[in-house]
Amino acid sequence: MLQKILAILAIVATLGASALAYLNHNTKVQTRIDKAKINKRIKDVLMKDIVAEVAKNTDTLGTLKDTEGVIEQKKVELDGATNNLKSKTNDLEKLVKDIADNTEEVSKLEAKVKELLGDSTPDMLQATLETLNKEITDRKTEMETTTKEKEVADKAVAQNTTVLKGFEDRRETRKKGIALNSTEGTVLASNPDYAFVVIDIGENKGVTADSKLIVMRSGQRVGLLNITSIEKTRTVADVIADSLSEGGQVQPGDKVIFEKTTR
């Protein structure tokens, strides 16, 4: 009888152990499934951020190309205005020379009148003088018109020069913004206790007090940095705790990039 009871107890113990092992196995499987779901959600969020960044950079490059096209157009307009100014200047110089020549010719004719007064009638001389005076008047009027056209051309050149400089300044600003976005640094040291890091880029790479830095590892964002001090070739920054994933931390060797800058 006692042997039967012991046998039954042994069977019950075996069944209990098997059931407990089965439950533990199911718990581990469920834990792995939950962890995989969480990782997938994090990856999806990061991928959306990266796709958004790529789209913004693409838009910026398109805008830069449009701006360069406008600059080329303004250069053509400036060249045209400059050539027009040169042409008007040449016309004005020619008119001034013609007026000087006609004035000299009138003086010579007046001298000849005195010498030839006996051979010419006053009416003939008067007609000649009137013709020359009319020509001089016409040339003066033409010179005044050319002078006004030159003034208009000068203003056009000045205006186009100003507009061109504005577009060139905007282009340079956009280029600097794109260059800054492509700058990459590396975490040299990390102090988890005091939540700060040292990175290998500083003023030499365009880091400023208001720069926003992102820590990346294997193409995924680890966290954000808040700059505390900047040197020539390195920067010290605090790790923004809320930006880290649960249990995550910044490590030496992690990459550091600039957050999207304004252009």
Side-chain angles (χ1 to χ4, degrees):
M1 184 65 178
L2 180 58
Q3 291 180 347
K4 289 183 178 180
I5 293 173
L6 292 176
I8 292 171
L9 290 175
I11 293 172
V12 170
T14 301
L15 291 175
S18 298
L20 181 60
Y22 178 78
L23 290 175
N24 288 337
H25 174 72
N26 286 345
T27 300
K28 291 181 179 178
V29 170
Q30 186 61 40
T31 299
R32 286 197 298 271
I33 292 174
D34 292 342
K35 184 176 180 181
K37 289 181 179 179
I38 291 173
N39 288 337
K40 184 177 184 302
R41 291 175 185 171
I42 293 174
K43 183 177 180 181
D44 290 343
V45 171
L46 292 177
M47 284 303 296
K48 288 181 181 179
D49 289 344
I50 292 172
V51 170
E53 289 296 318
V54 172
K56 289 180 182 178
N57 278 328
T58 301
D59 292 341
T60 298
L61 289 174
T63 303
L64 180 59
K65 290 181 179 179
D66 294 341
T67 302
E68 290 179 342
V70 174
I71 289 174
E72 292 301 322
Q73 180 181 352
K74 291 300 179 182
K75 283 184 177 179
V76 172
E77 293 177 3
L78 178 60
D79 290 340
T82 302
N83 292 334
N84 185 38
L85 175 61
K86 290 180 180 179
S87 176
K88 295 301 179 182
T89 301
N90 292 336
D91 292 343
L92 181 61
E93 291 174 352
K94 184 176 182 299
L95 285 173
V96 170
K97 184 178 182 301
D98 289 343
I99 290 173
D101 292 341
N102 286 331
T103 302
E104 183 180 358
E105 186 176 353
V106 168
S107 298
K108 291 179 180 180
L109 285 174
E110 288 176 344
K112 286 183 179 181
V113 166
K114 294 178 181 180
E115 296 176 359
L116 303 174
L117 186 58
D119 297 332
S120 302
T121 64
D123 291 339
M124 293 174 59
L125 294 174
Q126 183 64 31
T128 302
L129 288 174
E130 289 177 354
T131 299
L132 291 173
N133 286 331
K134 183 179 182 304
E135 184 175 352
I136 291 173
T137 301
D138 292 341
R139 292 300 178 91
K140 286 183 177 180
T141 301
E142 186 177 352
M143 184 179 69
E144 291 175 356
T145 300
T146 303
T147 300
K148 291 179 180 179
E149 292 177 350
K150 180 179 179 297
E151 292 175 355
V152 173
D154 285 336
K155 291 180 180 179
V157 169
Q159 182 179 3
N160 285 328
T161 300
T162 300
V163 172
L164 180 62
K165 185 179 184 305
F167 278 109
E168 289 176 340
D169 290 344
R170 286 177 58 192
R171 179 177 64 180
E172 290 304 314
T173 299
R174 293 179 187 279
K175 284 183 177 180
K176 288 179 180 178
I178 292 174
L180 199 60
N181 286 334
S182 63
T183 299
E184 183 180 278
T186 303
V187 176
L188 297 176
S190 174
N191 189 318
D193 295 333
Y194 293 95
F196 75 87
V197 297
V198 179
I199 58 179
D200 66 349
I201 55 175
E203 294 176 351
N204 61 327
K205 295 297 184 180
V207 178
T208 60
D210 59 351
S211 297
K212 304 298 182 183
L213 301 179
I214 304 173
V215 181
M216 303 291 292
R217 185 187 305 144
S218 299
Q220 296 186 351
R221 190 173 75 176
V222 177
L224 302 177
L225 301 179
N226 185 28
I227 295 173
T228 58
S229 66
I230 306 171
E231 298 178 6
K232 185 68 176 178
T233 60
R234 62 181 56 192
T235 298
V236 178
D238 290 334
V239 179
I240 301 176
D242 294 343
S243 68
L244 296 174
S245 60
E246 184 176 356
Q249 64 179 18
V250 178
Q251 301 174 358
D254 287 343
K255 297 301 179 182
V256 178
I257 62 173
F258 283 84
E259 193 175 41
K260 188 72 172 179
T261 59
T262 303
R263 300 182 183 82

